[in-house]
Amino acid sequence: MHVKIVTDSACDLPKSIYKDYDIDMAPLLVHLNNQDYYDGKTIEPKTVYDAMKEGAAPKTSQVSPEAFLDIFTSYVEQDQPCVYIGFSSELSGTFQSATIARQQILDDHPDAKLYVVDTKCASLGQGLVAMRAAQLAKEGAEVEKIVETAEYHAKHMEHIFTVDDLEYLQRGGRVSKAAAFFGGLLQIKPLLHVEDGKLIPLEKIRGTKKVLKRMFELMELRAHDINNQTVAISHADDLQTAEKLAAMINDKYEPKEIIVSNIGAAIGAHAGPCTISLFFLNNTHV
């Protein structure tokens, strides 16, 4: 029996990849206009972005320990090894929920092969880690090899992204009020990255065209071997800009694949409409 890979909806993987690689997904909750929705299951990202443009302030909730307990138990009871590839513990309590559920299961099933990996990643950065783990699982790799590779990829996963308005991140406590204020001045486009699981402002650039060019430059500086890895671009209802960035990469390099996908409702509720994110490995591909 192959190793089962579980992740959560913050990874923003396209539905086709969940299906192709047999990945199980635990949805975060999205609270919008007094209604609760399951991210990736009962709400579309565009619904969230349209509401935010009209002034709505959606909130999100972590996956509960009980939800993880149900998922993990279903595999442990079949003696199937299971690896959870989790959303950054610095940005959500979801990984803590998974850790609590895992401990409860190990108390009753001490020999269970149940592992949890805190990727310190978000969106398709986390998604690329989950996908690589699932590729190995599909190939029949041992669970220890999958965990080791996932941890390596997580450690070397770059996130370079820009948001249309830092106010959205500030509302959710993801960046400081001061950073949000200065980012909104003079049409400055902030560039951010992820450092040890946290969102860190990187540079301030004026204009969308310049910011895409700078994202591409940073990838050239930081990526070890662009032609030998899968690159990912996620966008918040701005496919046209995401495709421009993909074209810039394809004009000069030949990555194994460029995945372009919507930022899901949970991440999007904090990042806001028109966010563009670029993900790649900054060291040798495993």
Side-chain angles (χ1 to χ4, degrees):
M1 190 177 288
H2 75 272
V3 178
K4 185 70 181 184
I5 303 302
V6 178
T7 189
D8 56 70
S9 64
C11 75
D12 291 344
L13 283 171
K15 290 178 182 176
S16 59
I17 290 179
Y18 289 123
K19 185 177 179 182
D20 290 347
Y21 291 101
D22 191 28
I23 300 170
D24 202 346
M25 184 270 280
L28 278 75
L29 275 177
V30 178
H31 313 281
L32 178 65
N33 296 332
N34 299 315
Q35 295 284 330
D36 287 344
Y37 303 93
Y38 289 106
D39 180 27
K41 292 185 181 288
T42 61
I43 190 168
E44 292 298 320
K46 186 167 173 52
T47 303
V48 174
Y49 300 133
D50 288 347
M52 291 176 85
K53 289 172 187 175
E54 296 296 321
K59 297 185 183 305
T60 59
S61 293
Q62 66 202 51
V63 182
S64 69
E66 291 75 21
F68 279 120
L69 197 60
D70 288 344
I71 293 169
F72 294 160
T73 299
S74 68
Y75 299 114
V76 168
E77 287 183 345
Q78 299 175 63
D79 291 326
Q80 184 169 13
C82 180
V83 181
Y84 164 65
I85 307 294
F87 185 19
S88 171
S89 62
E90 296 289 344
L91 297 173
S92 169
T94 294
F95 183 77
Q96 180 64 22
S97 291
T99 302
I100 291 168
R102 175 180 182 268
Q103 190 55 56
Q104 287 185 28
I105 287 173
L106 291 179
D107 287 345
D108 295 331
H109 305 274
D111 296 327
K113 288 196 171 185
L114 176 59
Y115 300 81
V116 293
V117 176
D118 181 1
T119 65
K120 301 291 181 77
C121 298
S123 190
L124 282 176
Q126 174 189 346
L128 286 177
V129 178
M131 192 174 90
R132 182 64 183 129
Q135 286 170 341
L136 288 173
K138 198 171 184 180
E139 292 165 6
E142 294 292 327
V143 67
E144 293 81 7
K145 173 64 174 174
I146 292 171
V147 171
E148 178 188 343
T149 304
E151 288 175 344
Y152 177 91
H153 276 238
K155 183 179 178 182
H156 293 286
M157 187 62 64
E158 284 279 357
H159 305 56
I160 306 292
F161 67 103
T162 184
V163 297
D164 203 47
D165 189 344
L166 273 170
E167 175 67 24
Y168 295 121
L169 286 172
Q170 189 270 318
R171 280 184 204 165
R174 266 58 183 185
V175 297
S176 73
K177 196 168 186 177
F181 175 74
F182 287 113
L185 296 177
L186 305 173
Q187 294 187 315
I188 287 172
K189 296 284 287 185
L191 262 186
L192 302 95
H193 71 147
V194 171
E195 198 173 283
D196 196 30
K198 299 176 185 175
L199 307 186
I200 307 292
L202 197 59
E203 298 176 8
K204 296 173 186 174
I205 298 166
R206 193 167 296 172
T208 302
K209 191 176 287 188
K210 287 182 180 177
V211 86
L212 287 184
K213 182 172 180 285
R214 185 58 180 151
M215 290 172 79
F216 178 73
E217 288 172 353
L218 287 168
M219 183 188 71
E220 290 196 295
L221 285 169
R222 298 184 178 195
H224 174 73
D225 186 0
I226 297 168
N227 291 328
N228 195 34
Q229 63 168 294
T230 298
V231 174
I233 300 167
S234 62
H235 66 93
D237 198 26
D238 192 358
L239 179 60
Q240 187 176 14
T241 302
E243 288 181 336
K244 279 182 188 174
L245 183 55
M248 290 168 70
I249 298 167
N250 275 324
D251 282 347
K252 189 169 179 181
Y253 297 98
E254 295 181 356
K256 288 183 176 178
E257 183 181 6
I258 298 180
I259 297 170
V260 178
S261 183
N262 244 321
I263 295 172
I267 296 288
H270 297 284
C274 299
T275 296
I276 300 290
S277 307
L278 174 62
F279 309 93
F280 54 89
L281 284 174
N282 65 11
N283 212 321
T284 307
H285 188 66
V286 174

